Structures are given as C-alpha cells and as structure tokens.
PDB file of all heavy atoms in Angstrom:
ATOM      1  N   VAL A   1      69.580 118.422-126.779  1.00 97.00           N
ATOM      2  CA  VAL A   1      70.967 118.360-126.295  1.00 97.00           C
ATOM      3  C   VAL A   1      71.552 116.978-126.542  1.00 97.00           C
ATOM      4  O   VAL A   1      72.691 116.840-127.001  1.00 97.00           O
ATOM      5  CB  VAL A   1      71.050 118.728-124.798  1.00 97.00           C
ATOM      6  CG1 VAL A   1      72.440 118.404-124.233  1.00 97.00           C
ATOM      7  CG2 VAL A   1      70.746 120.209-124.586  1.00 97.00           C
ATOM      8  N   ALA A   2      70.781 115.937-126.242  1.00 96.00           N
ATOM      9  CA  ALA A   2      71.255 114.562-126.449  1.00 96.00           C
ATOM     10  C   ALA A   2      71.647 114.323-127.904  1.00 96.00           C
ATOM     11  O   ALA A   2      72.701 113.733-128.194  1.00 96.00           O
ATOM     12  CB  ALA A   2      70.175 113.577-126.014  1.00 96.00           C
ATOM     13  N   LEU A   3      70.815 114.789-128.834  1.00 95.00           N
ATOM     14  CA  LEU A   3      71.103 114.599-130.256  1.00 95.00           C
ATOM     15  C   LEU A   3      72.253 115.482-130.730  1.00 95.00           C
ATOM     16  O   LEU A   3      73.034 115.069-131.591  1.00 95.00           O
ATOM     17  CB  LEU A   3      69.841 114.867-131.079  1.00 95.00           C
ATOM     18  CG  LEU A   3      68.774 113.776-130.974  1.00 95.00           C
ATOM     19  CD1 LEU A   3      67.458 114.252-131.570  1.00 95.00           C
ATOM     20  CD2 LEU A   3      69.243 112.492-131.649  1.00 95.00           C
ATOM     21  N   THR A   4      72.363 116.681-130.178  1.00 95.00           N
ATOM     22  CA  THR A   4      73.495 117.542-130.524  1.00 95.00           C
ATOM     23  C   THR A   4      74.796 116.893-130.080  1.00 95.00           C
ATOM     24  O   THR A   4      75.788 116.881-130.817  1.00 95.00           O
ATOM     25  CB  THR A   4      73.349 118.928-129.860  1.00 95.00           C
ATOM     26  OG1 THR A   4      72.143 119.542-130.302  1.00 95.00           O
ATOM     27  CG2 THR A   4      74.515 119.831-130.213  1.00 95.00           C
ATOM     28  N   ALA A   5      74.789 116.322-128.870  1.00 95.00           N
ATOM     29  CA  ALA A   5      75.989 115.663-128.345  1.00 95.00           C
ATOM     30  C   ALA A   5      76.347 114.432-129.172  1.00 95.00           C
ATOM     31  O   ALA A   5      77.512 114.227-129.544  1.00 95.00           O
ATOM     32  CB  ALA A   5      75.783 115.276-126.885  1.00 95.00           C
ATOM     33  N   SER A   6      75.355 113.606-129.482  1.00 93.00           N
ATOM     34  CA  SER A   6      75.638 112.376-130.233  1.00 93.00           C
ATOM     35  C   SER A   6      76.031 112.677-131.671  1.00 93.00           C
ATOM     36  O   SER A   6      76.779 111.915-132.293  1.00 93.00           O
ATOM     37  CB  SER A   6      74.421 111.443-130.207  1.00 93.00           C
ATOM     38  OG  SER A   6      73.335 111.992-130.926  1.00 93.00           O
ATOM     39  N   GLY A   7      75.546 113.802-132.214  1.00 91.00           N
ATOM     40  CA  GLY A   7      75.927 114.195-133.562  1.00 91.00           C
ATOM     41  C   GLY A   7      77.349 114.714-133.632  1.00 91.00           C
ATOM     42  O   GLY A   7      78.061 114.496-134.616  1.00 91.00           O
ATOM     43  N   LYS A   8      77.778 115.387-132.582  1.00 91.00           N
ATOM     44  CA  LYS A   8      79.123 115.965-132.551  1.00 91.00           C
ATOM     45  C   LYS A   8      80.171 114.945-132.114  1.00 91.00           C
ATOM     46  O   LYS A   8      81.304 114.969-132.584  1.00 91.00           O
ATOM     47  CB  LYS A   8      79.145 117.163-131.593  1.00 91.00           C
ATOM     48  CG  LYS A   8      80.454 117.934-131.557  1.00 91.00           C
ATOM     49  CD  LYS A   8      80.338 119.124-130.627  1.00 91.00           C
ATOM     50  CE  LYS A   8      81.663 119.875-130.503  1.00 91.00           C
ATOM     51  NZ  LYS A   8      82.049 120.548-131.750  1.00 91.00           N
ATOM     52  N   ARG A   9      79.760 114.048-131.204  1.00 88.00           N
ATOM     53  CA  ARG A   9      80.696 113.081-130.641  1.00 88.00           C
ATOM     54  C   ARG A   9      80.227 111.661-130.959  1.00 88.00           C
ATOM     55  O   ARG A   9      79.300 111.148-130.331  1.00 88.00           O
ATOM     56  CB  ARG A   9      80.777 113.267-129.117  1.00 88.00           C
ATOM     57  CG  ARG A   9      81.290 114.632-128.662  1.00 88.00           C
ATOM     58  CD  ARG A   9      82.806 114.690-128.677  1.00 88.00           C
ATOM     59  NE  ARG A   9      83.365 113.715-127.766  1.00 88.00           N
ATOM     60  CZ  ARG A   9      83.659 113.978-126.484  1.00 88.00           C
ATOM     61  NH1 ARG A   9      83.419 115.170-125.965  1.00 88.00           N
ATOM     62  NH2 ARG A   9      84.207 113.043-125.721  1.00 88.00           N
ATOM     63  N   LYS A  10      80.850 111.025-131.914  1.00 85.00           N
ATOM     64  CA  LYS A  10      80.455 109.664-132.293  1.00 85.00           C
ATOM     65  C   LYS A  10      80.783 108.656-131.202  1.00 85.00           C
ATOM     66  O   LYS A  10      80.274 107.531-131.202  1.00 85.00           O
ATOM     67  CB  LYS A  10      81.149 109.259-133.597  1.00 85.00           C
ATOM     68  CG  LYS A  10      80.881 110.195-134.768  1.00 85.00           C
ATOM     69  CD  LYS A  10      79.395 110.338-135.061  1.00 85.00           C
ATOM     70  CE  LYS A  10      79.165 111.271-136.247  1.00 85.00           C
ATOM     71  NZ  LYS A  10      77.737 111.538-136.489  1.00 85.00           N
ATOM     72  N   ASP A  11      81.662 109.038-130.271  1.00 88.00           N
ATOM     73  CA  ASP A  11      82.040 108.166-129.167  1.00 88.00           C
ATOM     74  C   ASP A  11      81.124 108.350-127.962  1.00 88.00           C
ATOM     75  O   ASP A  11      81.386 107.837-126.879  1.00 88.00           O
ATOM     76  CB  ASP A  11      83.479 108.469-128.736  1.00 88.00           C
ATOM     77  CG  ASP A  11      83.643 109.910-128.223  1.00 88.00           C
ATOM     78  OD1 ASP A  11      82.864 110.783-128.653  1.00 88.00           O
ATOM     79  OD2 ASP A  11      84.523 110.141-127.386  1.00 88.00           O
ATOM     80  N   CYS A  12      80.017 109.079-128.161  1.00 92.00           N
ATOM     81  CA  CYS A  12      79.154 109.494-127.050  1.00 92.00           C
ATOM     82  C   CYS A  12      77.985 108.531-126.855  1.00 92.00           C
ATOM     83  O   CYS A  12      77.271 108.208-127.799  1.00 92.00           O
ATOM     84  CB  CYS A  12      78.634 110.898-127.340  1.00 92.00           C
ATOM     85  SG  CYS A  12      77.761 111.653-125.979  1.00 92.00           S
ATOM     86  N   PHE A  13      77.811 108.082-125.623  1.00 95.00           N
ATOM     87  CA  PHE A  13      76.661 107.259-125.244  1.00 95.00           C
ATOM     88  C   PHE A  13      75.802 108.110-124.309  1.00 95.00           C
ATOM     89  O   PHE A  13      76.232 108.441-123.205  1.00 95.00           O
ATOM     90  CB  PHE A  13      77.116 105.977-124.557  1.00 95.00           C
ATOM     91  CG  PHE A  13      77.939 105.085-125.431  1.00 95.00           C
ATOM     92  CD1 PHE A  13      79.313 105.248-125.501  1.00 95.00           C
ATOM     93  CD2 PHE A  13      77.346 104.088-126.198  1.00 95.00           C
ATOM     94  CE1 PHE A  13      80.083 104.429-126.313  1.00 95.00           C
ATOM     95  CE2 PHE A  13      78.106 103.267-127.017  1.00 95.00           C
ATOM     96  CZ  PHE A  13      79.479 103.440-127.079  1.00 95.00           C
ATOM     97  N   VAL A  14      74.609 108.458-124.758  1.00 96.00           N
ATOM     98  CA  VAL A  14      73.767 109.397-124.014  1.00 96.00           C
ATOM     99  C   VAL A  14      72.524 108.706-123.475  1.00 96.00           C
ATOM    100  O   VAL A  14      71.859 107.963-124.195  1.00 96.00           O
ATOM    101  CB  VAL A  14      73.307 110.581-124.913  1.00 96.00           C
ATOM    102  CG1 VAL A  14      72.678 111.680-124.051  1.00 96.00           C
ATOM    103  CG2 VAL A  14      74.455 111.135-125.729  1.00 96.00           C
ATOM    104  N   VAL A  15      72.222 108.999-122.211  1.00 97.00           N
ATOM    105  CA  VAL A  15      70.931 108.630-121.642  1.00 97.00           C
ATOM    106  C   VAL A  15      70.199 109.930-121.338  1.00 97.00           C
ATOM    107  O   VAL A  15      70.699 110.769-120.584  1.00 97.00           O
ATOM    108  CB  VAL A  15      71.084 107.801-120.348  1.00 97.00           C
ATOM    109  CG1 VAL A  15      69.708 107.533-119.734  1.00 97.00           C
ATOM    110  CG2 VAL A  15      71.806 106.493-120.633  1.00 97.00           C
ATOM    111  N   GLY A  16      69.037 110.121-121.962  1.00 97.00           N
ATOM    112  CA  GLY A  16      68.220 111.308-121.728  1.00 97.00           C
ATOM    113  C   GLY A  16      67.045 110.967-120.824  1.00 97.00           C
ATOM    114  O   GLY A  16      66.330 109.992-121.084  1.00 97.00           O
ATOM    115  N   VAL A  17      66.857 111.735-119.772  1.00 97.00           N
ATOM    116  CA  VAL A  17      65.797 111.469-118.800  1.00 97.00           C
ATOM    117  C   VAL A  17      64.879 112.679-118.682  1.00 97.00           C
ATOM    118  O   VAL A  17      65.349 113.821-118.631  1.00 97.00           O
ATOM    119  CB  VAL A  17      66.397 111.139-117.413  1.00 97.00           C
ATOM    120  CG1 VAL A  17      65.302 110.968-116.374  1.00 97.00           C
ATOM    121  CG2 VAL A  17      67.255 109.892-117.490  1.00 97.00           C
ATOM    122  N   ASP A  18      63.580 112.425-118.657  1.00 97.00           N
ATOM    123  CA  ASP A  18      62.609 113.503-118.498  1.00 97.00           C
ATOM    124  C   ASP A  18      61.364 112.945-117.811  1.00 97.00           C
ATOM    125  O   ASP A  18      61.081 111.741-117.897  1.00 97.00           O
ATOM    126  CB  ASP A  18      62.233 114.112-119.852  1.00 97.00           C
ATOM    127  CG  ASP A  18      61.678 115.521-119.714  1.00 97.00           C
ATOM    128  OD1 ASP A  18      60.522 115.679-119.273  1.00 97.00           O
ATOM    129  OD2 ASP A  18      62.405 116.479-120.038  1.00 97.00           O
ATOM    130  N   LYS A  19      60.613 113.843-117.159  1.00 95.00           N
ATOM    131  CA  LYS A  19      59.402 113.419-116.457  1.00 95.00           C
ATOM    132  C   LYS A  19      58.164 113.511-117.345  1.00 95.00           C
ATOM    133  O   LYS A  19      57.116 112.944-117.042  1.00 95.00           O
ATOM    134  CB  LYS A  19      59.222 114.299-115.218  1.00 95.00           C
ATOM    135  CG  LYS A  19      58.491 113.635-114.070  1.00 95.00           C
ATOM    136  CD  LYS A  19      58.571 114.501-112.815  1.00 95.00           C
ATOM    137  CE  LYS A  19      57.813 113.848-111.667  1.00 95.00           C
ATOM    138  NZ  LYS A  19      57.887 114.657-110.433  1.00 95.00           N
ATOM    139  N   SER A  20      58.267 114.230-118.468  1.00 95.00           N
ATOM    140  CA  SER A  20      57.125 114.439-119.364  1.00 95.00           C
ATOM    141  C   SER A  20      57.040 113.328-120.410  1.00 95.00           C
ATOM    142  O   SER A  20      57.917 113.189-121.266  1.00 95.00           O
ATOM    143  CB  SER A  20      57.242 115.798-120.063  1.00 95.00           C
ATOM    144  OG  SER A  20      56.324 115.894-121.135  1.00 95.00           O
ATOM    145  N   GLU A  21      55.979 112.566-120.364  1.00 95.00           N
ATOM    146  CA  GLU A  21      55.791 111.467-121.310  1.00 95.00           C
ATOM    147  C   GLU A  21      55.647 111.963-122.741  1.00 95.00           C
ATOM    148  O   GLU A  21      56.180 111.361-123.684  1.00 95.00           O
ATOM    149  CB  GLU A  21      54.567 110.641-120.918  1.00 95.00           C
ATOM    150  CG  GLU A  21      54.730 109.852-119.642  1.00 95.00           C
ATOM    151  CD  GLU A  21      53.544 108.931-119.382  1.00 95.00           C
ATOM    152  OE1 GLU A  21      52.962 108.441-120.362  1.00 95.00           O
ATOM    153  OE2 GLU A  21      53.214 108.715-118.210  1.00 95.00           O
ATOM    154  N   GLU A  22      54.911 113.057-122.927  1.00 95.00           N
ATOM    155  CA  GLU A  22      54.669 113.557-124.286  1.00 95.00           C
ATOM    156  C   GLU A  22      55.944 114.111-124.917  1.00 95.00           C
ATOM    157  O   GLU A  22      56.164 113.940-126.122  1.00 95.00           O
ATOM    158  CB  GLU A  22      53.578 114.636-124.252  1.00 95.00           C
ATOM    159  CG  GLU A  22      52.212 114.122-123.831  1.00 95.00           C
ATOM    160  CD  GLU A  22      51.717 112.979-124.697  1.00 95.00           C
ATOM    161  OE1 GLU A  22      51.881 113.066-125.934  1.00 95.00           O
ATOM    162  OE2 GLU A  22      51.183 111.997-124.150  1.00 95.00           O
ATOM    163  N   MET A  23      56.784 114.735-124.127  1.00 94.00           N
ATOM    164  CA  MET A  23      58.060 115.232-124.649  1.00 94.00           C
ATOM    165  C   MET A  23      58.943 114.052-125.057  1.00 94.00           C
ATOM    166  O   MET A  23      59.618 114.095-126.099  1.00 94.00           O
ATOM    167  CB  MET A  23      58.769 116.078-123.583  1.00 94.00           C
ATOM    168  CG  MET A  23      58.032 117.354-123.205  1.00 94.00           C
ATOM    169  SD  MET A  23      58.178 118.675-124.418  1.00 94.00           S
ATOM    170  CE  MET A  23      59.669 119.460-123.853  1.00 94.00           C
ATOM    171  N   LEU A  24      58.929 112.999-124.268  1.00 96.00           N
ATOM    172  CA  LEU A  24      59.738 111.828-124.585  1.00 96.00           C
ATOM    173  C   LEU A  24      59.254 111.121-125.848  1.00 96.00           C
ATOM    174  O   LEU A  24      60.052 110.555-126.594  1.00 96.00           O
ATOM    175  CB  LEU A  24      59.754 110.852-123.405  1.00 96.00           C
ATOM    176  CG  LEU A  24      60.579 111.293-122.193  1.00 96.00           C
ATOM    177  CD1 LEU A  24      60.439 110.291-121.062  1.00 96.00           C
ATOM    178  CD2 LEU A  24      62.048 111.486-122.550  1.00 96.00           C
ATOM    179  N   LYS A  25      57.948 111.143-126.098  1.00 95.00           N
ATOM    180  CA  LYS A  25      57.435 110.552-127.345  1.00 95.00           C
ATOM    181  C   LYS A  25      58.017 111.280-128.549  1.00 95.00           C
ATOM    182  O   LYS A  25      58.434 110.653-129.540  1.00 95.00           O
ATOM    183  CB  LYS A  25      55.905 110.643-127.379  1.00 95.00           C
ATOM    184  CG  LYS A  25      55.203 109.664-126.452  1.00 95.00           C
ATOM    185  CD  LYS A  25      53.699 109.857-126.524  1.00 95.00           C
ATOM    186  CE  LYS A  25      52.968 108.957-125.520  1.00 95.00           C
ATOM    187  NZ  LYS A  25      51.499 109.202-125.539  1.00 95.00           N
ATOM    188  N   LEU A  26      58.059 112.603-128.483  1.00 95.00           N
ATOM    189  CA  LEU A  26      58.648 113.383-129.574  1.00 95.00           C
ATOM    190  C   LEU A  26      60.145 113.131-129.671  1.00 95.00           C
ATOM    191  O   LEU A  26      60.700 113.060-130.772  1.00 95.00           O
ATOM    192  CB  LEU A  26      58.376 114.871-129.353  1.00 95.00           C
ATOM    193  CG  LEU A  26      56.912 115.297-129.509  1.00 95.00           C
ATOM    194  CD1 LEU A  26      56.724 116.735-129.057  1.00 95.00           C
ATOM    195  CD2 LEU A  26      56.462 115.147-130.960  1.00 95.00           C
TER     196      LEU A  26
END
C-alpha cells in the first residue's frame, strides 16, 4: 500500500509501520 500510494502520489510522504521484522525486511 505504501508503495502504491507513493507511486501514484509524488507529493506523498508515507510512514509504514508493522510489528513483523521479517515483513519489514522485505
């Protein structure tokens, strides 16, 4: 979702938060 938003909106500053360390590495 974060990448979809930043790809569609160049004016977009996204902070993505998750509890899974392995998902965040990817």
